[in-house]
Amino acid sequence: MDKATINGMLEKILVTKQLEVELKDVVRQAVHDYREGKGDFADYLIGRINQAQGCVYTTTFDRALRKTPAFAVLE
């Protein structure tokens, strides 16, 4: 599926009353990051969860996340 379809499905999941999403606000932030960024949703979710736990940034090798403040890219 393309990124727009995935993003739309994630947003629908977040508003479905029959589903309880843990850390819903954190997931919403990750969905927004995914919509605007070049990385994968899972990366943005990991980064946002880490921030919620007090981490300044998450270290990664994924260069697509280079301009994302939540990540420090190892070269």
Side-chain angles (χ1 to χ4, degrees):
M1 288 186 258
D2 63 35
K3 187 174 184 172
T5 301
I6 294 169
N7 198 60
M9 292 177 88
L10 291 168
E11 289 179 357
K12 286 179 183 178
I13 288 169
L14 288 171
V15 297
T16 300
K17 292 179 183 179
Q18 293 84 358
L19 297 174
E20 182 65 34
V21 177
E22 185 177 0
L23 303 172
K24 191 178 276 190
D25 290 336
V26 173
V27 175
R28 278 196 176 120
Q29 292 171 333
V31 169
H32 174 16
D33 293 343
Y34 175 63
R35 182 177 54 243
E36 301 296 321
K38 296 183 180 185
D40 296 326
F41 174 70
D43 294 322
Y44 291 117
L45 182 58
I46 291 166
R48 286 295 186 167
I49 289 170
N50 289 346
Q51 279 186 322
Q53 296 298 316
C55 295
V56 176
Y57 59 84
T58 299
T59 304
T60 183
F61 290 105
D62 190 342
R63 293 180 184 181
L65 300 169
R66 181 172 296 151
K67 294 182 180 180
T68 307
F71 293 91
V73 178
L74 298 175
E75 300 292 331

XYZ file of all heavy atoms in Angstrom:
596
model
N 0.833 -1.179 0.000
C 0.000 0.000 0.000
C 0.883 1.250 0.000
O 1.984 1.231 0.545
C -0.882 0.010 1.243
C -1.984 -1.012 1.212
S -3.082 -0.824 2.611
C -2.464 -2.160 3.604
N 0.354 2.291 -0.566
C 1.114 3.535 -0.571
C 0.973 4.252 0.767
O 0.137 3.919 1.602
C 0.690 4.432 -1.732
C -0.764 4.882 -1.646
O -1.261 5.115 -0.527
O -1.403 5.010 -2.696
N 1.814 5.229 0.953
C 1.902 5.941 2.230
C 0.585 6.620 2.612
O 0.176 6.585 3.774
C 3.038 6.967 2.151
C 3.338 7.638 3.442
C 4.565 8.507 3.285
C 4.960 9.117 4.584
N 6.237 9.810 4.513
N -0.093 7.214 1.654
C -1.352 7.900 1.944
C -2.411 6.914 2.440
O -3.170 7.218 3.379
C -1.850 8.634 0.700
N -2.460 5.729 1.864
C -3.413 4.713 2.282
C -3.100 4.231 3.695
O -3.999 4.108 4.536
C -3.397 3.525 1.304
O -3.727 4.000 -0.008
C -4.386 2.450 1.720
N -1.829 3.968 3.957
C -1.419 3.521 5.293
C -1.749 4.583 6.329
O -2.307 4.290 7.389
C 0.086 3.181 5.321
C 0.354 1.962 4.439
C 0.576 2.944 6.749
C 1.828 1.706 4.184
N -1.431 5.821 6.016
C -1.704 6.913 6.954
C -3.202 7.034 7.231
O -3.615 7.194 8.376
C -1.145 8.227 6.403
C -1.006 9.271 7.464
O -0.290 9.065 8.430
N -1.695 10.382 7.298
N -4.017 6.921 6.190
C -5.462 6.988 6.361
C -5.988 5.860 7.240
O -6.853 6.076 8.095
N -5.452 4.670 7.061
C -5.878 3.532 7.874
C -5.477 3.727 9.338
O -6.253 3.423 10.244
C -5.267 2.244 7.324
C -5.828 1.867 5.967
S -5.048 0.409 5.296
C -6.110 -0.835 6.016
N -4.284 4.234 9.575
C -3.841 4.493 10.948
C -4.736 5.518 11.631
O -5.114 5.363 12.793
C -2.384 4.960 10.964
C -1.347 3.914 10.580
C 0.009 4.566 10.339
C -1.253 2.834 11.645
N -5.090 6.566 10.897
C -5.969 7.589 11.470
C -7.355 7.027 11.776
O -7.953 7.362 12.803
C -6.045 8.786 10.529
C -4.742 9.571 10.507
C -4.745 10.759 9.563
O -5.750 10.967 8.859
O -3.735 11.472 9.535
N -7.859 6.132 10.935
C -9.162 5.503 11.187
C -9.104 4.615 12.433
O -10.047 4.580 13.222
C -9.611 4.697 9.979
C -10.080 5.557 8.839
C -10.499 4.726 7.649
C -10.897 5.625 6.492
N -11.259 4.863 5.299
N -8.016 3.900 12.591
C -7.852 3.050 13.776
C -7.916 3.897 15.047
O -8.531 3.511 16.037
C -6.538 2.255 13.705
C -6.652 1.154 12.642
C -6.165 1.657 15.065
C -5.346 0.474 12.303
N -7.286 5.068 15.008
C -7.236 5.926 16.193
C -8.608 6.465 16.598
O -8.818 6.788 17.769
C -6.263 7.089 15.971
C -4.786 6.700 15.960
C -3.931 7.881 15.510
C -4.359 6.218 17.332
N -9.544 6.560 15.672
C -10.868 7.095 16.007
C -11.935 6.011 16.139
O -13.088 6.317 16.427
C -11.328 8.166 14.976
C -10.388 9.354 14.996
C -11.468 7.583 13.592
N -11.558 4.759 15.942
C -12.509 3.655 16.076
C -12.806 3.414 17.550
O -11.905 3.123 18.330
C -11.948 2.378 15.418
O -11.720 2.636 14.037
C -12.911 1.218 15.572
N -14.062 3.539 17.917
C -14.460 3.420 19.320
C -14.284 2.009 19.869
O -14.114 1.829 21.066
C -15.910 3.858 19.487
C -16.110 5.328 19.252
C -17.554 5.730 19.395
C -17.701 7.207 19.069
N -19.087 7.640 19.173
N -14.304 1.010 19.001
C -14.188 -0.373 19.449
C -12.741 -0.776 19.760
O -12.507 -1.860 20.275
C -14.746 -1.342 18.392
C -16.230 -1.240 18.188
C -16.627 -0.122 17.220
O -15.813 0.617 16.711
N -17.924 -0.001 16.989
N -11.804 0.070 19.443
C -10.393 -0.230 19.691
C -9.811 0.719 20.736
O -10.074 1.925 20.705
C -9.576 -0.101 18.399
C -9.932 -1.048 17.261
C -9.142 -0.692 16.017
C -9.687 -2.485 17.665
N -9.029 0.178 21.621
C -8.306 0.985 22.606
C -6.836 0.976 22.211
O -6.211 -0.090 22.143
C -8.480 0.383 24.008
C -7.795 1.184 25.087
C -8.390 2.575 25.261
O -9.601 2.751 25.081
O -7.612 3.488 25.600
N -6.314 2.131 21.926
C -4.912 2.269 21.512
C -4.105 2.787 22.688
O -4.401 3.862 23.228
C -4.776 3.210 20.296
C -3.326 3.409 19.911
C -5.590 2.675 19.113
N -3.109 2.028 23.078
C -2.220 2.443 24.167
C -1.405 3.650 23.709
O -0.956 3.715 22.561
C -1.288 1.287 24.532
C -0.416 1.565 25.728
C 0.440 0.363 26.104
O 0.358 -0.674 25.439
O 1.187 0.496 27.076
N -1.236 4.610 24.600
C -0.471 5.826 24.305
C -1.001 6.536 23.052
O -0.248 6.938 22.167
C 1.018 5.506 24.145
C 1.703 4.827 25.323
C 3.103 4.391 24.944
C 1.741 5.743 26.526
N -2.310 6.714 23.000
C -2.965 7.251 21.807
C -2.377 8.587 21.346
O -2.174 8.803 20.150
C -4.463 7.404 22.054
C -5.238 7.710 20.790
C -6.728 7.813 21.041
C -7.312 6.429 21.017
N -8.785 6.442 21.028
N -2.067 9.482 22.267
C -1.493 10.773 21.871
C -0.112 10.601 21.247
O 0.230 11.301 20.290
C -1.421 11.719 23.070
C -2.796 12.181 23.522
O -3.740 12.161 22.706
O -2.922 12.558 24.699
N 0.663 9.683 21.766
C 1.994 9.400 21.214
C 1.848 8.811 19.808
O 2.577 9.191 18.884
C 2.778 8.438 22.141
C 4.080 7.991 21.507
C 3.035 9.102 23.489
N 0.898 7.915 19.640
C 0.664 7.312 18.327
C 0.198 8.377 17.341
O 0.651 8.402 16.187
C -0.360 6.157 18.418
C -0.686 5.613 17.032
C 0.166 5.045 19.315
N -0.661 9.281 17.788
C -1.102 10.376 16.903
C 0.078 11.231 16.435
O 0.145 11.632 15.272
C -2.112 11.264 17.634
C -3.484 10.709 17.616
C -4.517 11.773 17.987
N -5.812 11.154 17.856
C -6.682 11.025 18.835
N -6.423 11.520 20.021
N -7.836 10.432 18.633
N 0.994 11.513 17.340
C 2.190 12.275 16.961
C 3.006 11.503 15.930
O 3.513 12.084 14.963
C 3.041 12.573 18.188
C 2.396 13.540 19.148
C 3.158 13.644 20.460
O 3.832 12.712 20.878
N 3.034 14.786 21.108
N 3.134 10.201 16.125
C 3.888 9.370 15.182
C 3.210 9.319 13.811
O 3.883 9.352 12.777
C 4.074 7.966 15.742
N 1.875 9.273 13.804
C 1.141 9.287 12.536
C 1.399 10.601 11.810
O 1.643 10.621 10.593
C -0.373 9.059 12.765
C -1.172 9.335 11.495
C -0.626 7.638 13.247
N 1.381 11.695 12.540
C 1.676 13.002 11.937
C 3.108 13.025 11.386
O 3.338 13.462 10.256
C 1.473 14.102 12.964
C 1.889 15.469 12.512
N 2.109 15.818 11.210
C 2.137 16.607 13.191
C 2.469 17.082 11.122
N 2.502 17.575 12.317
N 4.058 12.545 12.169
C 5.451 12.503 11.713
C 5.577 11.678 10.437
O 6.280 12.059 9.503
C 6.352 11.896 12.791
C 6.469 12.747 14.034
O 6.130 13.950 13.979
O 6.881 12.205 15.078
N 4.892 10.544 10.409
C 4.931 9.658 9.246
C 4.348 10.350 8.016
O 4.906 10.275 6.926
C 4.163 8.375 9.555
C 4.033 7.426 8.401
C 5.150 6.830 7.821
C 2.784 7.106 7.880
C 5.031 5.955 6.760
C 2.654 6.229 6.828
C 3.780 5.658 6.273
O 3.649 4.785 5.215
N 3.233 11.045 8.204
C 2.601 11.751 7.094
C 3.535 12.812 6.512
O 3.638 12.977 5.301
C 1.285 12.396 7.559
C 0.548 13.114 6.459
C -0.795 13.690 6.895
N -0.683 14.553 8.063
C -1.249 14.302 9.234
N -1.961 13.206 9.430
N -1.106 15.140 10.245
N 4.260 13.508 7.382
C 5.104 14.613 6.943
C 6.536 14.204 6.585
O 7.219 14.924 5.875
C 5.168 15.677 8.044
C 3.826 16.248 8.449
C 3.147 17.006 7.323
O 3.845 17.718 6.577
O 1.913 16.866 7.198
N 6.989 13.063 7.090
C 8.396 12.697 6.943
C 8.676 11.669 5.868
O 7.795 11.274 5.108
N 9.926 11.226 5.843
C 10.387 10.279 4.834
C 10.658 8.891 5.409
O 10.984 7.974 4.670
C 11.651 10.809 4.164
C 11.410 12.082 3.389
C 12.651 12.547 2.689
C 12.356 13.829 1.927
N 13.478 14.280 1.132
N 10.526 8.737 6.723
C 10.802 7.459 7.365
C 9.585 6.557 7.403
O 8.508 6.898 6.905
N 9.770 5.388 7.998
C 8.679 4.425 8.177
C 7.908 4.756 9.452
O 8.471 5.290 10.415
C 9.243 3.006 8.289
C 9.934 2.551 7.015
O 9.482 2.944 5.922
O 10.916 1.805 7.121
N 6.633 4.362 9.473
C 5.810 4.625 10.640
C 6.415 4.026 11.904
O 6.433 4.668 12.956
C 4.382 4.103 10.437
C 3.549 4.223 11.671
C 3.140 5.463 12.130
C 3.219 3.101 12.414
C 2.396 5.592 13.293
C 2.468 3.216 13.572
C 2.056 4.462 14.008
N 6.897 2.801 11.816
C 7.455 2.124 13.001
C 8.599 2.936 13.603
O 8.722 3.031 14.830
C 7.938 0.718 12.644
N 9.425 3.537 12.764
C 10.529 4.355 13.271
C 10.013 5.566 14.027
O 10.493 5.887 15.117
C 11.436 4.815 12.119
C 12.161 3.669 11.467
O 12.584 2.744 12.182
O 12.316 3.705 10.228
N 9.038 6.243 13.445
C 8.475 7.416 14.118
C 7.806 7.032 15.431
O 7.907 7.760 16.418
C 7.488 8.144 13.205
C 8.151 8.807 12.031
C 7.860 8.422 10.734
C 9.090 9.817 12.222
C 8.479 9.030 9.648
C 9.714 10.430 11.144
C 9.402 10.033 9.855
O 10.011 10.632 8.796
N 7.132 5.898 15.453
C 6.487 5.446 16.680
C 7.523 5.141 17.758
O 7.378 5.566 18.905
C 5.612 4.220 16.412
C 4.846 3.672 17.611
C 3.929 4.745 18.202
C 4.055 2.440 17.202
N 8.584 4.441 17.392
C 9.665 4.154 18.351
C 10.260 5.453 18.881
O 10.468 5.617 20.083
C 10.743 3.275 17.705
C 10.194 1.868 17.451
C 12.007 3.221 18.574
C 11.050 1.033 16.526
N 10.516 6.403 17.999
C 11.079 7.682 18.417
C 10.167 8.433 19.370
O 10.609 8.981 20.389
N 8.876 8.454 19.073
C 7.923 9.163 19.935
C 7.752 8.461 21.284
O 7.629 9.121 22.314
C 6.571 9.304 19.235
C 6.571 10.328 18.129
C 6.818 11.706 18.676
N 6.690 12.713 17.636
C 6.610 14.002 17.876
N 6.645 14.445 19.126
N 6.513 14.857 16.894
N 7.720 7.137 21.284
C 7.634 6.408 22.553
C 8.870 6.693 23.393
O 8.770 6.945 24.598
C 7.463 4.895 22.315
C 6.069 4.612 21.767
C 7.704 4.104 23.598
C 5.866 3.186 21.281
N 10.032 6.695 22.776
C 11.267 6.987 23.507
C 11.238 8.399 24.083
O 11.638 8.615 25.231
C 12.482 6.782 22.618
C 12.748 5.327 22.310
O 12.205 4.430 22.950
N 13.575 5.083 21.314
N 10.758 9.368 23.316
C 10.644 10.730 23.824
C 9.693 10.792 25.018
O 9.972 11.472 26.000
C 10.132 11.679 22.735
C 11.189 12.138 21.779
C 10.644 13.175 20.818
O 9.506 13.090 20.373
N 11.465 14.152 20.495
N 8.580 10.078 24.923
C 7.613 10.066 26.019
C 8.213 9.469 27.291
O 7.783 9.804 28.401
C 6.366 9.284 25.612
N 9.222 8.626 27.127
C 9.912 8.007 28.259
C 11.108 8.835 28.738
O 11.830 8.429 29.630
C 10.374 6.600 27.883
C 9.240 5.644 27.591
C 8.348 5.434 28.799
O 8.815 5.261 29.910
N 7.052 5.474 28.581
N 11.325 10.001 28.113
C 12.363 10.910 28.575
C 13.638 10.947 27.748
O 14.568 11.668 28.090
N 13.692 10.195 26.662
C 14.897 10.214 25.814
C 14.944 11.508 25.004
O 13.919 11.987 24.515
C 14.894 9.033 24.849
S 15.013 7.438 25.667
N 16.112 12.050 24.859
C 16.291 13.255 24.052
C 16.184 12.909 22.574
O 15.580 13.626 21.789
C 17.651 13.919 24.354
C 17.895 15.116 23.454
C 17.717 14.328 25.819
N 16.779 11.792 22.176
C 16.712 11.327 20.795
C 16.930 9.813 20.754
O 17.390 9.216 21.723
C 17.725 12.042 19.905
C 19.160 11.882 20.350
C 19.894 10.764 19.977
C 19.773 12.839 21.143
C 21.207 10.609 20.405
C 21.079 12.691 21.566
C 21.790 11.575 21.184
O 23.079 11.412 21.598
N 16.598 9.241 19.609
C 16.802 7.816 19.347
C 17.870 7.710 18.278
O 17.795 8.382 17.245
C 15.486 7.168 18.862
O 14.510 7.321 19.889
C 15.673 5.701 18.540
N 18.841 6.869 18.500
C 19.927 6.678 17.544
C 19.499 5.680 16.470
O 18.870 4.665 16.762
C 21.186 6.150 18.254
O 21.525 7.076 19.297
C 22.348 6.035 17.306
N 19.827 5.993 15.217
C 19.431 5.144 14.098
C 20.482 5.220 12.983
O 21.283 6.145 12.939
C 18.055 5.572 13.544
O 17.659 4.689 12.496
C 18.076 7.001 13.017
N 20.438 4.234 12.106
C 21.250 4.261 10.890
C 20.430 4.738 9.692
O 20.963 4.916 8.605
C 21.805 2.862 10.579
C 22.852 2.408 11.552
C 22.548 1.465 12.520
C 24.139 2.919 11.504
C 23.503 1.032 13.424
C 25.104 2.497 12.406
C 24.790 1.552 13.364
N 19.134 4.938 9.871
C 18.219 5.282 8.782
C 18.392 6.751 8.390
O 17.951 7.650 9.103
C 16.782 5.002 9.212
C 15.795 5.106 8.066
O 16.126 5.716 7.024
O 14.684 4.582 8.210
N 19.000 6.968 7.259
C 19.273 8.333 6.800
C 18.007 9.113 6.441
O 18.035 10.336 6.380
C 20.230 8.302 5.614
C 21.596 7.821 6.026
C 22.549 7.782 4.886
N 23.811 7.226 5.354
C 24.858 7.084 4.597
N 24.812 7.448 3.336
N 25.964 6.577 5.090
N 16.908 8.407 6.219
C 15.645 9.085 5.929
C 15.166 9.903 7.124
O 14.355 10.808 6.984
C 14.579 8.058 5.538
N 15.697 9.606 8.309
C 15.287 10.299 9.528
C 16.236 11.437 9.908
O 16.120 12.015 10.983
C 15.184 9.288 10.675
C 14.170 8.176 10.438
C 14.325 7.084 11.483
C 12.768 8.716 10.407
N 17.152 11.757 9.037
C 18.195 12.748 9.307
C 17.645 14.087 9.776
O 18.188 14.707 10.674
C 19.044 12.948 8.054
C 20.166 13.950 8.263
C 21.096 14.010 7.105
N 21.742 12.699 7.021
C 22.179 12.159 5.898
N 22.055 12.810 4.775
N 22.742 10.980 5.889
N 16.559 14.555 9.209
C 16.029 15.883 9.553
C 14.955 15.826 10.639
O 14.286 16.811 10.899
C 15.475 16.552 8.303
C 16.552 16.863 7.283
C 16.005 17.560 6.085
C 17.125 17.840 5.093
N 16.659 18.517 3.899
N 14.812 14.677 11.273
C 13.811 14.511 12.319
C 14.469 14.739 13.673
O 15.396 14.022 14.045
C 13.205 13.093 12.259
O 12.733 12.860 10.923
C 12.073 12.951 13.237
N 14.017 15.732 14.445
C 14.672 16.082 15.713
C 14.714 14.943 16.725
O 15.609 14.919 17.565
C 13.827 17.235 16.245
C 13.064 17.759 15.089
C 12.924 16.634 14.123
N 13.795 14.012 16.651
C 13.748 12.916 17.616
C 14.842 11.863 17.397
O 15.009 10.960 18.189
C 12.382 12.242 17.595
N 15.596 11.996 16.292
C 16.588 10.984 15.929
C 17.983 11.569 15.744
O 18.133 12.704 15.296
C 16.175 10.281 14.624
C 14.952 9.455 14.772
C 13.692 9.992 14.535
C 15.028 8.133 15.168
C 12.558 9.233 14.685
C 13.890 7.363 15.311
C 12.650 7.913 15.080
N 18.976 10.771 16.082
C 20.369 11.072 15.759
C 20.836 9.966 14.824
O 20.808 8.786 15.181
C 21.223 11.078 17.037
N 21.232 10.339 13.621
C 21.621 9.367 12.610
C 23.115 9.110 12.699
O 23.912 10.036 12.674
C 21.228 9.862 11.204
C 21.678 8.865 10.138
C 19.726 10.101 11.119
N 23.470 7.834 12.807
C 24.872 7.427 12.800
C 25.322 7.280 11.359
O 24.652 6.652 10.558
C 25.058 6.104 13.543
C 24.698 6.119 15.025
C 24.810 4.715 15.595
C 25.604 7.064 15.777
N 26.430 7.841 11.036
C 26.953 7.765 9.661
C 27.912 6.613 9.517
O 28.648 6.242 10.313
C 27.649 9.085 9.304
C 26.730 10.270 9.369
C 25.650 10.307 8.305
O 25.865 9.776 7.189
O 24.588 10.851 8.579
